[in-house]
Amino acid sequence: MEPDSSVTIQPAKNISGILSLPGDKSISHRYAMLAAIGKDTTRLENFSTGKDCASTLACVRALGCDWQKTDGSSNTIEIYGRGPVLTEPSSSLDCGNSGSTMRMLSGILAGQNFASELIGDESLSRRPMARVITPISQMGARISAAPGERPPLRISGSKLKAIDYTLPVATAQVKTAVLFAGLFAEGETTVHEPVRTRDHGELALAAFGANVYSSGTTSRIHGGQELHAIEARIPGDISSSAFFLCAAALFPESQLVINGLLLNPTRARLLDILTMMGLRLSVTQLEEHHGELVGSVQVNGGGLKGALIQGADTAALIDEIPVLAAIAPFTSEGVEIRDARELRVKESDRIAALAGNLRALGAEVEEREDGLKIAGNQALHGSELDSHGDHRIAMAFSVAALRATGDTIIQGASAADISYPGFFSTLERLIER
């Protein structure tokens, strides 16, 4: 799909089918980075197919760590670990659209004995990086950025010192960056969060052999630990599942099964919220792989009530809020989202993008500085919408369009490739008309 491409979504009568999803982005990023600074060869099945994780792999290769895809359809890669000492890159490290790559890799680069520069595309270059610059600088690395503390980031690595750091805003990416930097620091690095965020960084470190201690909203790691290679199958991306789960939630007769899905408790709040809203949902075949819970989810549609999303729920659902907002008009009580100012500085200003596209579909919506209030029991009509170059906006409104009257055209639909190439063909396969 070309960058300026559009997709037309036609109304649906039902959603049904069985699917497995590409590997979770959050885990794929972290496993690739830790594999690079570990020993020996790490083999990862079902690695994320998204462009963001491809950016991480490209940066890893530019730092002297080779990898290759193996034969087969499971998107398996083998990463040949370099150990803790990487190679100075010959040019800037291109993170593309991936804030995850830029922020988390900063923690590893801070502990190297060379200077490097992290760059990104136009969207990423507008995103603030102060939250990662501050703690990494306190650990002893020198970091400079463009005005407004935006990319590119120039990092001069050094011997790091451990810190005891309290995150001003709940962000798993920065927590992970500090813990990764802690591997290269003298002493014990401690990170405190205002509310608990996803713990994939801690679980990944443990999977690769590090001793990391977590209790509540505090995590600790000692420097100087060596990592070893692992073999793992990455569970299906639960953030991507949100679009299909919400599509199924729109139709009372829907039947959907998602196999091999990530069910990490710090990420599975979405399932609780959808159940509270009226979706009938059951989990089977629950297993643990490298500390991560994986299972199959079976969904049957039902009438949707409303929801108030605020506080810790907002932090836990930050990636899923766009699609929850997009389906809000079809709930009986509406959806109110608070404490979500973070959405203003994602790939787009997601609060403004959600409000604008909902209004274009004919919805009544109140836009606030830190959230949205969307009335329920609304009828939407097809329209032409703008993805704003944001993958989650493009996918969220493809779901809302299924219940609109008439066709909906989403401009810039190829933004979905950032996290889920093939999303639209997968959605179409589940639609009954």
Side-chain angles (χ1 to χ4, degrees), residues 235-257:
D237 190 290
I238 193 168
S239 294
S240 295
S241 80
F243 304 101
F244 304 107
L245 293 172
C246 287
L250 293 178
F251 301 94
E253 303 302 319
S254 64
Q255 292 185 318
L256 179 66
V257 176

Side-chain angles (χ1 to χ4, degrees), residues 137-222:
S137 297
Q138 289 181 15
M139 297 180 81
R142 294 194 309 278
I143 306 182
S144 63
E149 295 186 299
R150 287 171 165 78
L153 295 185
R154 297 174 183 86
I155 302 174
S156 295
S158 67
K159 194 173 184 63
L160 302 181
K161 61 182 179 182
I163 59 172
D164 188 312
Y165 187 72
T166 299
L167 296 171
V169 177
T171 160
Q173 292 177 7
V174 176
K175 174 179 66 172
T176 297
V178 177
L179 292 174
F180 283 4
L183 285 171
F184 301 91
E186 288 187 1
E188 182 181 70
T189 294
T190 304
V191 185
H192 308 279
E193 305 177 273
V195 297
R196 191 182 183 205
T197 65
R198 59 188 64 178
D199 61 357
H200 302 305
E202 296 95 311
L203 294 178
L205 283 161
F208 280 84
N211 290 318
V212 57
Y213 309 95
S214 297
S215 177
T217 56
T218 297
S219 298
R220 296 182 173 87
I221 192 167
H222 279 281

Side-chain angles (χ1 to χ4, degrees), residues 240-291:
S240 295
S241 80
F243 304 101
F244 304 107
L245 293 172
C246 287
L250 293 178
F251 301 94
E253 303 302 319
S254 64
Q255 292 185 318
L256 179 66
V257 176
I258 305 178
N259 291 319
L261 185 64
L262 174 69
L263 295 174
N264 180 307
T266 64
R267 293 282 298 285
R269 183 59 177 156
L270 171 69
L271 305 184
D272 298 331
I273 293 293
L274 288 174
T275 299
M276 290 166 53
M277 292 174 70
L279 188 66
R280 292 172 291 163
L281 184 150
S282 61
V283 174
T284 60
Q285 299 177 324
L286 194 63
E287 299 177 349
E288 183 177 308
H289 298 164
H290 293 290

Side-chain angles (χ1 to χ4, degrees), residues 120-157:
D121 66 9
E122 183 180 354
S123 171
L124 181 54
S125 297
R126 295 193 299 266
R127 297 176 69 179
M129 292 291 152
R131 291 174 191 166
V132 74
I133 292 173
T134 298
I136 299 302
S137 297
Q138 289 181 15
M139 297 180 81
R142 294 194 309 278
I143 306 182
S144 63
E149 295 186 299
R150 287 171 165 78
L153 295 185
R154 297 174 183 86
I155 302 174
S156 295

Side-chain angles (χ1 to χ4, degrees), residues 44 70 202 221 227 246 253 320 342:
L44 302 174
T70 66
E202 296 95 311
I221 192 167
L227 306 182
C246 287
E253 303 302 319
E320 292 78 43
E342 178 76 8

